[in-house]
């Protein structure tokens, strides 16, 4: 393992399936005396996608030409570089002091167990910033027989575990994923961590909102959902998908929650007389109930707290619906009885920092682990054959 005696400053770049933009975090890492990484967030910023940029990405996820893919990969590299340069300026950190930029890129396609594709030319980022870039984090795990997701689990274990209690960390980005982590004081903690995708995070909520209200990037403050009523029959229908019955490890993405899926969701709601507000409320209920169902069905560990992060954690209606669903067995539509003690549902930023920065910090950690020659995946989370150093390095 390579050691960085003074620690390392790493910029983490993350753009998820919600297609809202790029999150960028500047993080200082160092190892404590027992070799466990410690992180200090120096700055966080977001670069929102323009309507035209989002439209290009959405089109590429359905069908595009080789020319369009080629140009989009290069342009995405520039957008990522813009985000990195902006957050470094906010942090007051010189490029020469950056050990690496860790770029997740933008997922165009993720086929669990077979292949995964993130765009955003790393060499473009390196040229624009003058910094080394580590990218393509998911491919090695997939090549090793893993799902390639979730990868934030390593950060959940190393940075966000509770000292003495089991904790579940639920990300509500485009896709929802949860990590179950033992107390940081537990021996053999890496072998006890489990993680999997729970279904939609914000992807369905955001997609129906943009189709129904093109002037809105998402349901701001949950206002539309608050004004509507969730349609239980529609939620039940869309929870009947085989993904929810599959045991972990498992992952999903835009290959399931396609434009056709969203169109079908809206049609199903309209058939029972739903208003626009009812449709957004139903999409919100779908996320909440799938989160609760997957926890109650597949998590036996005695978690005492569920921490919500990602953009969805800033939607007060979604947060409240998750609290209600986790407390109400009937809302989760599963015959599996509750066997665990009750747990609290809290927002990540009530315990740590801005929840929207969490994934960018997680990929900065993966960059730091790459630099120090340590694995970034957890086989108990992804199903890979073993631990692997993740990412490909493009020199400065």
């Amino acid at each position: 393992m390579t050691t960085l005696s003074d620690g390392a400053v790493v910029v983490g770049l993350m753009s998820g399936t919600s297609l809202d933009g790029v999150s960028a975090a500047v993080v200082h890492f160092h190892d404590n005396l027992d070799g466990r990484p410690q992180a200090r967030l120096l700055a966080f910023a977001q670069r929102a996608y323009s309507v035209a940029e989002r439209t290009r990405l959405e089109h590429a996820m359905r069908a595009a030409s080789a020319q369009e893919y080629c140009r989009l990969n290069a342009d995405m590299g520039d957008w990522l570089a813009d985000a990195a340069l902006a957050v470094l300026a906010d942090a007051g950190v010189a490029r020469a002091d950056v050990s690496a930029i860790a770029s997740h890129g933008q997922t165009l396609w993720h086929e669990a167990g077979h292949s995964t594709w993130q765009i955003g030319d790393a060499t473009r980022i390196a040229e624009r910033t003058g910094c080394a870039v580590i990218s393509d984090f998911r491919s090695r795990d997939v090549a090793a027989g893993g799902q390639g997701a979730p990868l934030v689990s390593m950060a959940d274990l190393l940075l966000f575990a509770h000292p003495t209690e089991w904790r579940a960390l639920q990300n509500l980005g485009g896709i929802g994923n949860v990590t179950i982590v033992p107390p940081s004081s537990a021996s053999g903690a890496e072998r006890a961590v489990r993680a999997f995708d729970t279904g939609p995070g914000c992807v369905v909520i955001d997609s129906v909102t943009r189709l129904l209200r093109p002037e809105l990037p998402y349901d701001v403050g949950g206002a539309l959902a608050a004004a509507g009523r969730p349609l239980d029959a529609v939620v039940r229908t869309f929870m009947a998908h085989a993904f929810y019955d599959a045991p972990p490890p498992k992952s999903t993405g835009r290959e399931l929650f396609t434009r056709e899926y969203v169109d079908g969701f809206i049609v199903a709601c309209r058939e029972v007389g739903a208003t626009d507000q009812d449709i957004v409320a139903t999409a919100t209920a779908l996320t909440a109930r799938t989160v609760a169902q997957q926890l109650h069905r597949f998590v036996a560990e005695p978690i005492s707290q569920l921490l919500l992060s990602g953009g969805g954690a800033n939607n007060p209606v979604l947060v409240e619906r998750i609290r209600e669903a986790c407390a109400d067995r009937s809302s989760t539509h599963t015959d599996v009885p509750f066997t665990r003690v009750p747990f609290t549902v809290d927002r990540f930023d009530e315990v740590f920092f801005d929840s929207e920065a969490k994934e960018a910090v997680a990929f900065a950690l993966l960059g730091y682990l790459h630099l120090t020659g340590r694995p970034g995946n957890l086989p108990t989370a992804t199903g890979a054959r073993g631990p692997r150093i993740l990412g490909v390095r493009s020199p400065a």
Side-chain angles (χ1 to χ4, degrees), residues 205 208-209 212-213 219 222-226 265 269 275-285 315:
I205 303 171
V208 298
T209 298
L212 299 173
R213 295 286 192 275
D219 184 16
L224 292 173
F265 186 89
C269 291
T275 65
D276 289 357
Q277 292 86 344
D278 294 340
I279 296 172
V280 179
T282 304
T284 303
N315 181 330

Side-chain angles (χ1 to χ4, degrees), residues 172-173 201-202 205 308-319 322 355-356:
L172 297 168
C202 297
I205 303 171
L308 306 178
S309 63
N314 293 325
N315 181 330
V317 177
L318 177 57
V319 171
I322 290 174
S355 69
E356 294 207 56

